[in-house]
Amino acid sequence: MCAIEAGKRGRKVLVLEKANKPGKKILMSGGGRCNFTNYHINPNDYISHNPHFCKSALSRYTQWDFINLVKKHGIPFHEKTLGQLFCDHKSQDILTMLLSECQQANVEIRLNTQIEKIEKVSDHHFKINSDRGDFHCQSLVVATGGLSIPTMGASPFGYKIAEQFGIKIWPTRAGLVPFTLHVAEKERFAELSGIGFDSLVSNDQISFRENILFTHRGLSGPAILQISSYWQPGEAILINMLPEINAVEMLKSAKKSQPQKQIKTILAEYLPKRVVELFLNTDLAEIKMAALSHQQLEDIAKLFANWPLKPNGTEGYRTAEVTLGGVDCDAISSKTLMAENVPGLYFIGEVLDVTGWLGGFNFQWAWSSGWAAGQVV
Ligand SMILES: Cc1cc2nc3c(=O)[nH]c(=O)nc-3n(C[C@H](O)[C@H](O)[C@H](O)COP(=O)(O)OP(=O)(O)OC[C@H]3O[C@@H](n4cnc5c(N)ncnc54)[C@H](O)[C@@H]3O)c2cc1C
């Protein structure tokens, strides 16, 4: 996006990419359909030590600008849920669009080029050593992304460049990532693998109402991925598996209206049967509503509506969608994305300490920050 905008202004642009193909993350994103933006982009849906930083770029190049570009290229798309926009066909449509815009703007892309060293010769003059020779430039834009999916070539190189120029790096960790469970819980929930349902997942800071999904390693699903970005090791999260109802009231009224029914039958109207049976122990599951005391009903409601879970950890960068932390935004101009103390050096996209929620927010940050830098490089 930065290359396109700079190229349109008549700048001579060279993109150096170490991979053998451009835009690999675009291709693998959104389950192959690229969730390229969201109707409801809001700076509050980004995590950063400087929560104001993302506002400028997001407000100058918005989701509507990107949607217009997608429309201009005739790419069919749809809203899946919660404003999330996906390609009807495949992610390749977005990549093809960007490459065609690059071509029109005379942007040159060199693949299979690993950058090894950056040297500042003077202000607005950098020398780049790569395994394909040296390059000189007036503006150097670092768009190396985060650490997620190391098998796709993710590397800490962008952070190293920042450090080389005295720019602070906030500690990095995996975000939008599934949780792993402690051995006992992993074994207990193994039989639920593949089951997903609507839940409200919370911690001290925030709540997310979306699906959770039991996996053979632990817990995933959008609500879990979202809260993982707000989770610190050792903390517990609270899961309400019955977010639509007041569980105690529902059970009390079921006791009156359906006293002969077993508790597991009542709960199976709201949750998958296997989940109900696993959370209630066998003796309890078979008891008729009439035989349960109010205290028991309250305890049962709590089991499902107030499930405290202490994850063992996360699946880490291997499966994380994003990297939290990164280049300190206080050292960067929010308007131009240039390092305040290094004229000509820019940082855009995920390498910065700006991490979006699940749902197209991270690509929108990549487009917006790239666009903003592209106006000035
Ligand atoms: C599985 C998965 C699915 C995702 N799905 C979505 C989604 O649907 N919607 C959404 O908004 N976000 C999604 N994301 C997040 C999104 O892909 C990233 O936030 C976004 O790609 C960041 O863009 P970027 O340009 O900053 O970095 P990247 O897209 O990571 O690009 C960085 C590029 O720099 C190259 N590079 C790195 N080091 C060097 C070096 N030393 N020399 C040369 N080149 C180098 C890399 O090869 C790479 O091509 C997903 C992420 C993953 C992992």
Side-chain angles (χ1 to χ4, degrees):
M1 183 59 75
C2 178
I4 292 164
E5 288 301 311
K8 281 197 220 160
R9 288 171 41 236
R11 298 290 278 157
K12 191 172 172 210
V13 185
L14 175 64
V15 177
L16 298 175
E17 167 60 66
K18 79 171 172 187
N20 58 354
K21 273 195 247 165
K24 281 192 174 181
K25 273 205 186 150
I26 295 175
L27 292 179
M28 74 192 299
S29 68
R33 293 211 166 141
C34 189
N35 178 195
F36 54 81
T37 192
N38 193 297
Y39 278 140
H40 314 299
I41 296 287
N42 182 325
N44 295 333
D45 300 340
Y46 290 86
I47 304 164
S48 171
H49 290 85
N50 179 345
H52 303 294
F53 181 80
C54 64
K55 290 179 182 170
S56 172
L58 288 175
S59 68
R60 285 181 297 138
Y61 187 84
T62 68
Q63 65 272 39
W64 308 111
D65 294 313
F66 195 79
I67 292 167
N68 283 339
L69 185 63
V70 170
K71 284 185 179 163
K72 188 180 111 187
H73 284 258
I75 298 172
F77 64 91
H78 60 278
E79 178 185 356
K80 199 169 162 193
T81 170
L82 302 169
Q84 302 169 3
L85 301 187
F86 285 76
C87 296
D88 284 356
H89 303 314
K90 45 190 171 26
S91 306
Q92 181 69 50
D93 289 351
I94 298 294
L95 184 55
T96 304
M97 172 188 90
L98 294 171
L99 291 175
S100 115
E101 290 280 323
C102 278
Q103 206 178 10
Q104 276 173 40
N106 291 319
V107 169
E108 187 187 342
I109 300 176
R110 280 200 209 172
L111 302 171
N112 298 306
T113 309
Q114 169 117 15
I115 298 155
E116 279 147 8
K117 209 171 116 203
I118 306 286
E119 238 175 276
K120 182 181 154 188
V121 181
S122 59
D123 281 357
H124 291 286
H125 182 182
F126 297 88
K127 184 177 167 198
I128 299 153
N129 295 123
S130 83
D131 58 355
R132 299 286 173 107
D134 293 348
F135 302 91
H136 290 262
C137 62
Q138 291 174 340
S139 296
L140 176 62
V141 183
V142 181
T144 45
L147 296 171
S148 319
I149 324 278
T151 49
M152 300 288 295
S155 82
F157 188 65
Y159 307 130
K160 289 206 176 114
I161 299 174
E163 276 173 339
Q164 177 189 340
F165 289 100
I167 298 169
K168 179 166 129 186
I169 302 297
W170 286 102
T172 54
R173 64 190 167 88
L176 298 181
V177 63
F179 284 135
T180 55
L181 300 178
H182 292 283
V183 178
E185 276 166 333
K186 192 175 147 192
E187 282 169 8
R188 183 170 173 229
F189 297 125
E191 65 176 90
L192 301 183
S193 178
I195 297 183
F197 48 87
D198 180 30
S199 292
L200 182 75
V201 181
S202 316
N203 68 4
D204 293 347
Q205 297 175 60
I206 201 154
S207 295
F208 291 99
R209 167 91 186 263
E210 272 186 84
N211 265 22
I212 63 167
L213 174 72
F214 287 89
T215 71
H216 58 284
R217 280 188 291 266
L219 267 185
S220 187
I224 295 294
L225 298 182
Q226 294 278 41
I227 202 118
S228 75
S229 295
Y230 290 86
W231 180 80
Q232 296 290 343
E235 281 178 9
I237 55 167
L238 210 57
I239 302 178
N240 178 355
M241 294 185 269
L242 297 167
E244 198 62 39
I245 55 168
N246 179 325
V248 182
E249 291 310 315
M250 181 279 285
L251 291 176
K252 283 182 181 168
S253 87
K255 180 177 162 152
K256 278 193 204 128
S257 58
Q258 304 170 80
Q260 293 311 312
K261 278 205 174 155
Q262 292 175 330
I263 175 81
K264 69 174 185 187
T265 314
I266 298 293
L267 280 163
E269 283 172 32
Y270 298 89
L271 282 168
K273 204 167 146 231
R274 273 151 71 197
V275 174
V276 171
E277 288 179 351
L278 193 109
F279 276 77
L280 294 173
N281 66 44
T282 332
D283 308 342
L284 203 57
E286 313 269 304
I287 296 180
K288 292 194 171 140
M289 294 304 287
L292 288 163
S293 69
H294 274 207
Q295 185 57 52
Q296 278 175 309
L297 292 181
E298 276 181 22
D299 292 346
I300 291 169
K302 223 171 145 189
L303 273 181
F304 294 91
N306 217 346
W307 173 31
L309 177 77
K310 227 181 211 186
N312 185 20
T314 72
E315 289 187 7
Y317 293 120
R318 193 177 60 78
T319 60
E321 268 195 27
V322 282
T323 302
L324 290 144
V327 174
D328 182 18
C329 298
D330 288 348
I332 311 291
S333 156
S334 62
K335 187 153 186 266
T336 63
L337 284 302
M338 191 174 81
E340 304 277 10
N341 63 347
V342 194
L345 180 65
Y346 299 77
F347 292 86
I348 57 173
E350 199 183 318
V351 72
L352 285 159
D353 173 31
V354 176
T355 307
W357 283 9
L358 186 78
F361 294 86
N362 286 295
F363 276 135
Q364 186 60 44
W365 171 244
W367 318 139
S368 296
S369 58
W371 180 92
Q375 307 309 306
V376 290
V377 288

